Amino acid sequence: MKMILVSILLFGGLFFFSVGTIGLLRFDDVFTRAHGAAKCDTLGAVFSLLALVVYNGFGFTSFKLIMVIVFLWITNPTATHLITRAEFNRRKHEKN
C-alpha cells in the first residue's frame, strides 16, 4: 500500500514537471511561461518530496522534508512574482 502511494505521488510530480516543461516550450510570452513554470514546478516538487516523506516514514528526516516543502511553497510563487513584476516594469519603462 505504501509503495502504491509513493508511486502515485512520484508520477504526479513527474506529470507536473512535464507539463511545466511543455508550458515553457509552448507559451510565447514571459508572463504565461512564468505562470506555467511556477505552478507546475511547485506542485511537481511538492509531490516528489511528499513521496519521499511517505517512503521514509514519519521521523526527523520527514520533518525536514516537510519544512523544505513549506519553504518551496512560499518561495517559488514569490520569486515568480518578482521576476514577472521586473519584466512588467522593464516593458513599461521601454514604452516611455
Side-chain angles (χ1 to χ4, degrees):
M1 181 65 184
K2 177 175 152 178
M3 293 308 288
I4 293 172
L5 183 59
V6 169
S7 298
I8 290 171
L9 289 170
L10 277 178
F11 281 118
L14 180 64
F15 170 76
F16 281 109
F17 279 135
S18 300
V19 169
T21 303
I22 292 169
L24 278 175
L25 297 173
R26 188 158 169 83
F27 291 141
D28 56 350
D29 189 36
V30 173
F31 302 110
T32 55
R33 284 182 180 178
H35 177 74
K39 299 295 180 194
C40 293
D41 221 20
T42 303
L43 282 173
V46 167
F47 281 153
S48 299
L49 290 171
L50 280 177
L52 286 173
V53 168
V54 172
Y55 182 75
N56 282 331
F58 295 102
F60 188 65
T61 304
S62 296
F63 174 73
K64 290 191 284 186
L65 287 170
I66 291 171
M67 294 307 295
V68 170
I69 290 171
V70 169
F71 181 71
L72 282 173
W73 204 274
I74 293 169
T75 57
N76 276 358
T78 305
T80 303
H81 174 75
L82 291 174
I83 291 168
T84 55
R85 186 176 177 121
E87 177 64 16
F88 178 77
N89 288 334
R90 186 188 69 82
R91 288 185 182 186
K92 187 169 74 171
H93 290 301
E94 274 184 3
K95 289 181 183 179
N96 293 336

